[in-house]
Coordinates of all heavy atoms in Angstrom, one line a residue:
Chain B
M1 N 106.2 15.2 -131.5 CA 106.6 16.3 -132.4 C 107.7 17.1 -131.8 O 107.7 17.4 -130.7 CB 105.4 17.2 -132.7 CG 105.6 18.1 -133.8 SD 104.2 19.4 -133.7 CE 102.9 18.4 -133.1
K2 N 108.7 17.4 -132.6 CA 109.8 18.3 -132.2 C 109.3 19.7 -132.2 O 108.7 20.1 -133.2 CB 111.0 18.1 -133.0 CG 112.3 18.3 -132.2 CD 113.5 18.0 -133.1 CE 114.7 18.9 -132.7 NZ 115.7 19.0 -133.7
R3 N 109.5 20.4 -131.2 CA 109.0 21.8 -131.1 C 110.1 22.8 -131.1 O 111.1 22.6 -130.4 CB 108.1 22.0 -129.9 CG 106.7 21.4 -130.0 CD 105.9 21.6 -128.8 NE 104.6 21.0 -129.0 CZ 103.6 21.6 -129.5 NH1 103.6 22.8 -129.9 NH2 102.4 20.9 -129.6
V4 N 110.0 23.8 -131.9 CA 110.9 24.9 -131.8 C 110.2 26.1 -131.3 O 108.9 26.1 -131.4 CB 111.6 25.3 -133.2 CG1 112.5 24.2 -133.6 CG2 110.5 25.4 -134.2
K5 N 110.9 27.1 -130.8 CA 110.2 28.3 -130.3 C 109.5 29.0 -131.4 O 110.2 29.4 -132.4 CB 111.1 29.2 -129.5 CG 111.2 28.8 -128.0 CD 110.0 29.2 -127.2 CE 110.0 28.6 -125.9 NZ 108.7 28.6 -125.2
V6 N 108.3 29.2 -131.4 CA 107.5 29.8 -132.5 C 107.0 31.1 -131.9 O 106.6 31.2 -130.8 CB 106.4 28.9 -132.9 CG1 105.5 29.6 -133.9 CG2 106.9 27.6 -133.5
S7 N 107.0 32.1 -132.8 CA 106.6 33.4 -132.3 C 105.1 33.4 -131.9 O 104.3 32.7 -132.5 CB 106.9 34.5 -133.3 OG 105.7 34.7 -134.1
N8 N 104.8 34.3 -131.0 CA 103.5 34.4 -130.5 C 102.5 34.7 -131.6 O 101.3 34.2 -131.6 CB 103.4 35.5 -129.4 CG 102.3 35.3 -128.4 OD1 101.9 34.2 -128.1 ND2 101.7 36.4 -128.0
N9 N 102.8 35.6 -132.5 CA 101.9 35.9 -133.6 C 101.5 34.7 -134.4 O 100.4 34.6 -134.9 CB 102.6 37.0 -134.5 CG 102.6 38.4 -133.8 OD1 101.8 38.6 -132.9 ND2 103.5 39.2 -134.3
V10 N 102.5 33.8 -134.7 CA 102.2 32.6 -135.5 C 101.3 31.7 -134.7 O 100.3 31.3 -135.2 CB 103.5 31.9 -135.8 CG1 103.2 30.6 -136.5 CG2 104.5 32.7 -136.6
I11 N 101.6 31.6 -133.4 CA 100.7 30.7 -132.6 C 99.3 31.2 -132.6 O 98.3 30.5 -132.7 CB 101.2 30.7 -131.1 CG1 102.6 30.0 -131.1 CG2 100.3 29.9 -130.2 CD1 103.4 30.2 -129.8
R12 N 99.1 32.6 -132.5 CA 97.8 33.2 -132.4 C 97.0 33.1 -133.8 O 95.8 33.2 -133.8 CB 97.9 34.7 -132.1 CG 98.5 34.9 -130.7 CD 97.5 34.7 -129.6 NE 98.1 34.5 -128.3 CZ 97.4 34.2 -127.2 NH1 96.1 34.0 -127.3 NH2 98.0 34.1 -126.1
R13 N 97.8 32.8 -134.8 CA 97.1 32.6 -136.1 C 96.6 31.2 -136.3 O 95.7 30.9 -137.1 CB 98.0 33.1 -137.3 CG 97.9 34.6 -137.6 CD 98.6 34.9 -138.9 NE 100.0 34.7 -138.9 CZ 100.9 35.6 -138.5 NH1 100.5 36.8 -138.1 NH2 102.2 35.4 -138.6
M14 N 97.3 30.3 -135.6 CA 96.9 28.8 -135.9 C 95.5 28.5 -135.6 O 94.8 27.8 -136.4 CB 97.9 27.9 -135.0 CG 99.3 28.0 -135.3 SD 99.8 27.9 -137.1 CE 99.7 26.1 -137.4
P15 N 94.9 29.0 -134.5 CA 93.4 28.7 -134.3 C 92.6 29.2 -135.4 O 91.6 28.6 -135.8 CB 93.1 29.5 -133.0 CG 94.4 29.6 -132.3 CD 95.4 29.7 -133.3
R16 N 92.9 30.4 -136.0 CA 92.2 30.9 -137.1 C 92.3 29.9 -138.3 O 91.3 29.7 -139.0 CB 92.7 32.3 -137.6 CG 92.2 33.4 -136.7 CD 92.6 34.7 -137.2 NE 92.2 35.1 -138.5 CZ 92.8 36.0 -139.3 NH1 93.9 36.6 -138.9 NH2 92.3 36.2 -140.5
Y17 N 93.5 29.4 -138.6 CA 93.6 28.4 -139.6 C 92.7 27.2 -139.4 O 92.1 26.7 -140.3 CB 95.1 28.0 -139.7 CG 96.1 29.0 -140.3 CD1 97.3 29.3 -139.6 CD2 95.8 29.7 -141.4 CE1 98.2 30.2 -140.0 CE2 96.7 30.7 -141.9 CZ 97.9 30.9 -141.2 OH 98.8 31.8 -141.7

Side-chain angles (χ1 to χ4, degrees):
Chain B
M1 192 194 326
K2 211 177 148 196
R3 282 178 184 273
V4 287
K5 271 287 165 197
V6 172
S7 92
N8 203 36
N9 287 339
V10 176
I11 296 166
R12 296 282 161 186
R13 277 193 291 273
M14 298 310 281
R16 280 182 63 203
Y17 290 130

